[in-house]
Amino acid sequence: QKEVEQDPGPLSVPEGAIVSLNCTYSNSAFQYFMWYRQYSRKGPELLMYTYSSGNKEDGRFTAQVDKSSKYISLFIRDSQPSDSATYLCAMSEPGSARQLTFGSGTQLTVLP
Amino acid sequence: KAGVTQTPRYLIKTRGQQVTLSCSPISGHRSVSWYQQTPGQGLQFLFEYFSETQRNKGNFPGRFSGRQFSNSRSEMNVSTLELGDSALYLCASSAQTDTQYFGPGTRLTVL
């Protein structure tokens, strides 16, 4: 079993919908949690960075971390066709914070 | 600021050859990490360099190696290429914070 599990989708939603993306993990040592967006043929782009548990909001994006359930989420409000991409969750431990363990990615399509 | 640059962007090699990929981090960033991305295994950590020293290493065979120069530029080398080494190789740089910024990657095809 992988350390980080992520539903690969594909996920297709109409423009304006609220999108919910999720990851579960098994390593309780993970303390740093990130969401990346990757467009086709491009490198991942950092969207959200969260330390430990809690919520973080940035514009249309909200990241939630529930360490007790080993579950993280990314919500996208008012989704746009330009949000169509693969979304990757990533996490790391203290002491090796730059050694990221990634989920497999969820492919999202927002239909106009 | 310019982003992370990787060269070359595309590369075709044959089995048994070796390859060297290059990464220039964002100016001022001293940490460079390398990742392999394949459809089957996703993104996997290869190694991290900071101030010319390897700090962490992922679970890859010794055919995969890297180094970092005094200007923080980094190279990774894969020797005795196998078909399974075909992948997108991504480089990420970071400064004092642990936030990593990725380059566009080098797509390696092994025939």
Side-chain angles (χ1 to χ4, degrees), chain A:
Chain A
Q1 188 178 357
K2 290 188 174 183
E3 275 190 297
V4 180
E5 298 281 355
Q6 184 175 7
D7 186 341
L11 181 61
S12 185
V13 301
E15 184 175 354
I18 296 175
V19 176
S20 172
L21 304 167
N22 312 294
C23 288
T24 59
Y25 62 95
S26 57
N27 184 352
S28 57
F30 286 143
Q31 292 278 356
Y32 303 99
F33 303 93
M34 289 134 275
W35 286 95
Y36 283 86
R37 176 174 64 193
Q38 186 174 24
Y39 292 112
S40 181
R41 304 268 179 203
K42 303 280 189 183
E45 169 194 10
L46 180 67
L47 285 175
M48 301 290 282
Y49 181 99
T50 311
Y51 171 70
S52 196
S53 284
N55 293 359
K56 186 173 182 179
E57 189 173 320
D58 184 2
R60 298 185 294 111
F61 299 92
T62 300
Q64 290 184 349
V65 175
D66 182 348
K67 289 192 67 184
S68 62
S69 302
K70 297 191 180 70
Y71 186 88
I72 70 171
S73 301
L74 177 71
F75 297 94
I76 307 173
R77 290 183 298 280
D78 188 25
S79 56
Q80 303 294 310
S82 59
D83 295 328
S84 298
T86 297
Y87 289 79
L88 298 145
C89 62
M91 40 200 85
S92 62
E93 302 180 26
S96 55
R98 299 188 184 102
Q99 183 170 344
L100 302 183
T101 300
F102 280 86
S104 56
T106 299
Q107 187 178 339
L108 171 67
T109 300
V110 180
L111 302 169

Side-chain angles (χ1 to χ4, degrees), chain B residues 59-71:
Chain B
N59 189 25
F60 278 82
R63 300 185 296 107
F64 292 81
S65 62
R67 59 178 175 167
Q68 186 179 34
F69 302 95
S70 58
N71 62 358

